Amino acid sequence: MTHAHRISGFVEELLGTALPIGIRTWDGARVGPDDGPTVVLRSRRALRWLLYSPGELGLARAYVSGDLDVEGDLTEGFRRMWALGRARGGGVRIGAGELGRAVALATRLGAVGPPPRPPVEEARLRGRLHSVRRDSSAIAHHYDLGNAFYQLLLDESMAYSSGYWTSDEPDYRLEHAQWDKLELICRKLDLRPGMRLLDVGCGWGSLLVHAAKHHGVRAVGVTLSAEQAQHVRARVSALDLDDRVEVRRQDYRELRDEPFDAVASVEMGEHVGEENYPTYAATLLRMLRPGGRLLLQQMSRGAVAPGGGAFIERYIAPDMTMRPLSRTVQHLERAGFEVRDVHALREHYVHTVRAWADTLERHWDDAVALIGERAARVWRLYLVGGALAFEENRMGVDQFLAVRPDADGRSGFPLARQW
């Protein structure tokens, strides 16, 4: 019996059904269906990753290190395995008995040994959860990978959030969807020349630049990322917008400005943590004048794996917390906001993330040259898995439009929607 047969037999016993994907082992043997992707175990160490970290984390470590690979459509491989997990009510439960049998199989295959050292691409944060220093380290882990890499991956606006796809025409691309998203935000905020806009978690400045250039506002953006702040300053200077746009490397808890006419925070609320969210919401309110509008774009997730799962939490966004949509509304209302509109964009993120994934594959060699092969493999897993999570409604993303009512409770909103 080949190594591949022994491994597939053990996995199928755990699953209680036939494997929906193929397996090929380091000795060249292959088993499983021929009409789909094949998991390739390039060395015995691939099994050792799984032995010491059963499940998602072990698979991720094996893939990032290159000991495990996938031939064929990675998205289809994910789709088949997640469908199997749903059919089983959430996945495989590995108890002491199953672990004992796994050790015995690994021994027979010569795969037993000391635990491999986790890839250096994993985050290793220190300090109190969601302290200013730790949050800064968490942001740096993901966003300070290098501006050149993000310029390779993103469109010209450098928007790193879900686009708003308004057309299915062949010549409608990511850059158009990001323009339409930025315009949608500006229209919802009712931005007009001379207004003051605050962008909390401004990224690479896509909204700051768009609002200043096309809507005549004076904008302030805050970010914890040194790379982002550097990029925004250079971009603002190149566009001769220095008199209208200011960017700071600053934590939202350090904001002490006079209230703004409008506040935006686009996919930043996921990073503040559940315990700190009331402080975050209260800060957004404090930064608004009475009658001012807030546009919050934020990812959502149910009670299962609110951080996104072991892979996301170790490699992509450590300390991230996604909450159900209803809980975000509750936080905003408790802070004093009146929520006027919630706009679901889940399907838009599928198109957005797949556009990023396609760009990564087209420029794979360039990405590897910029960040290294293991980091590029992290991003491949992240984008493929993320697009599928939105497609299958395991994650969502929404725009919340809210207002700080004035002393008489007036919102200033027209009776009919204007956007």
Side-chain angles (χ1 to χ4, degrees), residues 46-63:
L47 295 182
R48 221 181 311 157
W49 288 113
L50 292 168
L51 195 61
Y52 285 100
S53 301
E56 178 182 328
L57 182 58
L59 287 168
R61 287 171 167 172
Y63 183 82

Side-chain angles (χ1 to χ4, degrees), residues 256-329:
R256 299 290 184 271
D257 300 73
E258 293 295 319
F260 289 78
D261 299 298
V263 172
S265 192
V266 180
E267 296 183 25
M268 185 270 190
E270 301 88 341
H271 296 290
V272 304
E274 188 62 21
E275 290 186 4
N276 283 357
Y277 207 92
T279 300
Y280 171 65
T283 301
L284 299 178
L285 184 80
R286 177 169 53 83
M287 288 294 100
L288 266 178
R289 64 165 177 80
R293 297 184 185 185
L294 165 72
L295 189 290
L296 177 71
Q297 182 167 312
Q298 188 170 286
M299 288 181 279
S300 62
R301 193 177 176 105
V304 177
F311 168 69
I312 295 291
E313 293 163 25
R314 293 294 187 97
Y315 285 91
I316 302 298
D319 296 347
M320 182 170 74
T321 303
M322 292 174 283
R323 55 198 53 79
L325 180 154
S326 58
R327 192 175 301 160
T328 296
V329 171

Side-chain angles (χ1 to χ4, degrees), residues 96-386:
E98 291 82 5
L99 187 57
R101 292 198 298 275
V103 171
L105 175 61
T107 301
R108 287 197 299 273
L109 297 177
V112 172
R117 185 183 298 273
V120 297
E121 288 72 19
E122 284 191 18
R124 293 167 177 82
L125 304 184
R126 296 180 179 178
R128 180 172 54 84
L129 182 65
H130 291 301
S131 64
V132 172
R133 178 175 294 183
R134 182 175 171 119
D135 277 356
S136 183
S137 296
I139 293 299
H141 173 78
H142 187 60
Y143 296 98
D144 286 351
L145 194 58
N147 288 333
F149 171 71
Y150 286 99
Q151 287 172 312
L152 174 75
L153 186 72
L154 306 177
D155 71 295
E156 187 176 356
S157 76
M158 293 291 283
Y160 183 42
S161 55
S162 177
Y164 184 57
W165 298 74
T166 63
S167 172
D168 57 3
E169 292 297 321
D171 59 348
Y172 185 89
R173 297 182 295 274
L174 175 64
E175 57 266 33
H176 304 120
Q178 294 293 10
W179 171 279
D180 286 341
K181 183 268 300 295
L182 295 170
E183 270 297 296
L184 181 66
I185 291 174
C186 292
R187 291 199 305 272
K188 287 183 176 182
L189 289 173
D190 194 25
L191 296 182
R192 297 183 301 277
M195 292 178 67
R196 295 176 67 241
L197 168 69
L198 172 66
D199 187 0
V200 181
C202 65
W204 286 272
S206 59
L207 179 59
L208 296 173
V209 169
H210 188 93
K213 187 175 180 181
H214 300 288
H215 294 269
V217 306
R218 289 175 291 134
V220 174
V222 296
T223 176
L224 287 176
S225 167
E227 291 277 338
Q228 288 179 341
Q230 178 185 3
H231 175 86
V232 178
R233 291 185 184 114
R235 186 178 180 191
V236 165
S237 180
L239 292 171
D240 198 24
L241 293 173
D242 302 85
D243 60 333
R244 280 185 276 169
V245 177
E246 176 190 357
V247 64
R248 309 172 190 162
R249 191 178 176 198
Q250 183 179 34
D251 189 274
Y252 70 93
R253 288 161 286 195
E254 299 169 342
L255 285 164
R256 299 290 184 271
D257 300 73
E258 293 295 319
F260 289 78
D261 299 298
V263 172
S265 192
V266 180
E267 296 183 25
M268 185 270 190
E270 301 88 341
H271 296 290
V272 304
E274 188 62 21
E275 290 186 4
N276 283 357
Y277 207 92
T279 300
Y280 171 65
T283 301
L284 299 178
L285 184 80
R286 177 169 53 83
M287 288 294 100
L288 266 178
R289 64 165 177 80
R293 297 184 185 185
L294 165 72
L295 189 290
L296 177 71
Q297 182 167 312
Q298 188 170 286
M299 288 181 279
S300 62
R301 193 177 176 105
V304 177
F311 168 69
I312 295 291
E313 293 163 25
R314 293 294 187 97
Y315 285 91
I316 302 298
D319 296 347
M320 182 170 74
T321 303
M322 292 174 283
R323 55 198 53 79
L325 180 154
S326 58
R327 192 175 301 160
T328 296
V329 171
Q330 186 179 61
H331 279 304
L332 294 175
E333 289 181 333
R334 286 179 174 174
F337 283 106
E338 180 188 5
V339 178
R340 302 290 302 194
D341 187 78
V342 178
H343 186 176
L345 300 176
R346 177 172 63 83
E347 292 86 354
H348 295 261
Y349 229 153
V350 178
H351 295 295
T352 303
V353 178
R354 291 213 166 118
W356 292 336
D358 289 344
T359 299
L360 179 65
E361 295 303 329
R362 287 198 311 272
H363 300 284
W364 181 258
D365 291 342
D366 294 328
V368 169
L370 287 170
I371 63 175
E373 184 170 359
R374 292 198 302 190
R377 290 169 76 85
V378 167
W379 273 83
R380 177 185 277 159
L381 275 185
Y382 170 46
L383 296 176
V384 169

